[in-house]
Amino acid sequence: MPSPSILLSVVIPVYNEGAGVLDVLRAVEPPLRACAPSHEILFVDDGSQDDTWAFIRQVCDDRTGVRGIRLTRNFGKEAALWAGLAQARGQAVLVMDGDLQHPPALIPRMIELWQQTGVEVVEAIKMDRGNEKLLHRLGARAFYTLMNRLSGFGLERSSDFKLLDRRAVDQLLRLEERNLFFRGLVAWMGFERLQIPFSVPERAQGRSKWSFPKLAAFFTRSITSFSTLPLQLITLAGLLFLVFALVLGTKVFVQWWMGQAVEGFTTVILLLEIIGSLLMLSLGVIGLYLARIYEEVKRRPRSVIRETLPRSPSLPAASEAAPTDAAGLP
Ligand code: UDP
Ligand code: MG
């Protein structure tokens, strides 16, 4: 629901950022005041267990133009982001992290590019990945190389720091899938994208919310929602084993025909093990896709909103707010 009076909405998903909310607000307000005087800032609290919501409440009370959306529990960054996108009213929406790893100093340039060119997506591209652990860095490289091969979208340097024109936002909100991968879906939409490079600074405070299980889940979810190649690889492996089976079968048959006893108990054990693991791996891959289909067909909302601030007539109060889909669907 765009509003002609609001030029820009800034959506910031936060999870256990505590007083970091104040730091972000202090950092984004000056560039916004200068370049987009009519703006709103939306903090989406993704079920924080600390005092994040108390800080959001405080800034919503103190300032006009700051809004808060509180989800009932931790639904994950992408779901929080979608909840924010669905509530944003600006003609464009700027999406950024709440840990100051997306430098607010880029905001004026992003707005300027959007206004001058009318392009649907202005995105900040990572020149380096900041001070990440070696394992994290290697994992990220493997993930993006695979994603690039599988989906054809080069996302290696891509970040979630993006300015989306209303057309792009509406298009994103029309997507019905529950498994969301923001960067991938923005690339998938195919709109023209202008890119601005930036270096990732250190986190202002707190720690990255990515744990290994969360990363692993994100990895499989992103791959399976963008490519069916792993499924085709199973067919390929099956074909290879068929050829192998034919050759080996012929050999065994000829030996039997010539009256030779078939030898090679070790070979049999080895073959059993190889085929057994391959079968189970293949079942696992099919299972991953099945799980995705299961999640999608349930059509559950992506997140549930507990409370929105400020409580004004234009926004339903918490008690009246039916649990809505992040896309605004009942
Ligand atoms: N975040 C969130 N929900 C989560 C995890 C993270 O809303 O379940 C927010 C977090 O508060 C931050 C942004 O998403 O504003 C980026 O998270 P983080 O810094 O942990 O990711 P990284 O920068 O390490 O990729
Ligand atoms: Mg971060």
Side-chain angles (χ1 to χ4, degrees):
M1 21 142 189
S3 154
S5 62
I6 299 178
L7 183 68
L8 186 75
S9 302
V10 182
V11 172
I12 310 178
V14 282
Y15 176 53
N16 289 348
E17 299 289 353
V21 167
L22 303 180
D23 299 335
V24 182
L25 196 62
R26 270 186 223 119
V28 298
E29 268 181 341
L32 283 178
R33 249 186 247 126
C35 304
S38 60
H39 63 259
E40 60 173 5
I41 301 172
L42 273 112
F43 284 104
V44 187
D45 180 2
D46 188 14
S48 301
Q49 287 111 27
D50 66 354
D51 49 2
T52 303
W53 183 248
F55 282 105
I56 296 176
R57 189 192 297 275
Q58 182 191 324
V59 292
C60 287
D61 287 346
D62 289 352
R63 295 165 162 83
T64 52
V66 181
R67 297 165 62 195
I69 302 168
R70 186 187 193 187
L71 304 185
T72 49
R73 62 170 175 85
N74 182 235
F75 284 91
K77 181 183 169 181
E78 320 283 304
L81 212 152
W82 249 258
L85 286 179
Q87 301 269 339
R89 296 172 299 184
Q91 291 160 36
V93 180
L94 180 81
V95 173
M96 66 188 292
D97 281 0
D99 56 3
L100 290 176
Q101 285 198 296
H102 292 162
L106 287 187
I107 295 177
R109 180 91 190 104
M110 292 172 91
I111 298 175
E112 190 186 44
L113 274 178
W114 165 62
Q115 285 181 322
Q116 282 174 357
T117 61
V119 75
E120 282 86 359
V121 181
V122 181
E123 55 187 8
I125 294 292
K126 295 178 194 160
M127 291 314 286
D128 59 64
R129 299 189 56 92
N131 254 347
E132 272 178 349
K133 287 195 197 115
L134 181 71
L135 205 66
H136 195 111
R137 196 180 292 259
L138 289 178
R141 175 164 304 170
F143 168 67
Y144 285 115
T145 311
L146 202 65
M147 263 314 264
N148 198 356
R149 288 268 159 80
L150 295 179
S151 69
F153 301 123
L155 299 173
E156 171 107 61
R157 302 193 168 283
S158 172
S159 79
D160 287 349
F161 191 14
K162 297 184 197 294
L163 188 145
L164 305 172
D165 182 80
R166 176 49 52 186
R167 268 169 292 167
V169 176
D170 287 345
Q171 189 59 46
L172 268 186
L173 293 176
R174 276 186 53 207
L175 300 179
E176 300 213 342
E177 59 210 84
R178 260 90 269 267
N179 285 296
L180 303 164
F181 176 37
F182 181 60
R183 270 167 258 183
L185 289 172
V186 169
W188 173 87
M189 286 196 300
F191 285 124
E192 198 188 335
R193 290 178 284 154
L194 282 184
Q195 305 180 328
I196 305 180
F198 80 107
S199 300
V200 181
E202 282 290 295
R203 234 175 181 281
Q205 51 94 47
R207 289 195 303 130
S208 171
K209 306 298 178 308
W210 288 105
S211 59
F212 183 74
K214 260 191 170 181
L215 270 177
F218 179 73
F219 181 93
T220 49
R221 216 168 2 105
S222 308
I223 300 276
T224 47
S225 59
F226 270 83
S227 170
T228 52
L229 195 71
L231 286 175
Q232 287 148 28
L233 286 182
I234 296 178
T235 318
L236 197 72
L239 276 176
L240 281 178
F241 267 74
L242 181 67
V243 173
F244 185 59
L246 283 176
V247 173
L248 204 70
T250 315
K251 180 176 169 268
V252 171
F253 182 73
V254 170
Q255 277 181 337
W256 172 79
W257 187 257
M258 291 163 67
Q260 288 171 4
V262 180
E263 288 168 13
F265 198 57
T266 323
T267 319
V268 172
I269 293 177
L270 262 177
L271 275 177
L272 266 179
E273 279 170 353
I274 295 172
I275 294 169
S277 343
L278 199 80
L279 274 179
M280 277 196 261
L281 267 177
S282 310
L283 273 178
V285 173
I286 296 171
L288 283 179
Y289 282 90
L290 200 67
R292 291 293 88 78
I293 298 171
Y294 178 58
E295 281 162 15
E296 296 293 341
V297 294
K298 282 189 286 189
R299 299 187 57 78
R300 283 194 187 150
R302 291 165 182 147
S303 62
V304 180
I305 295 175
R306 170 176 293 170
E307 197 177 341
T308 51
L309 289 174
R311 292 208 183 95
S312 64
S314 61
L315 289 170
S319 55
E320 297 155 22
T324 56
D325 183 343
L329 302 170

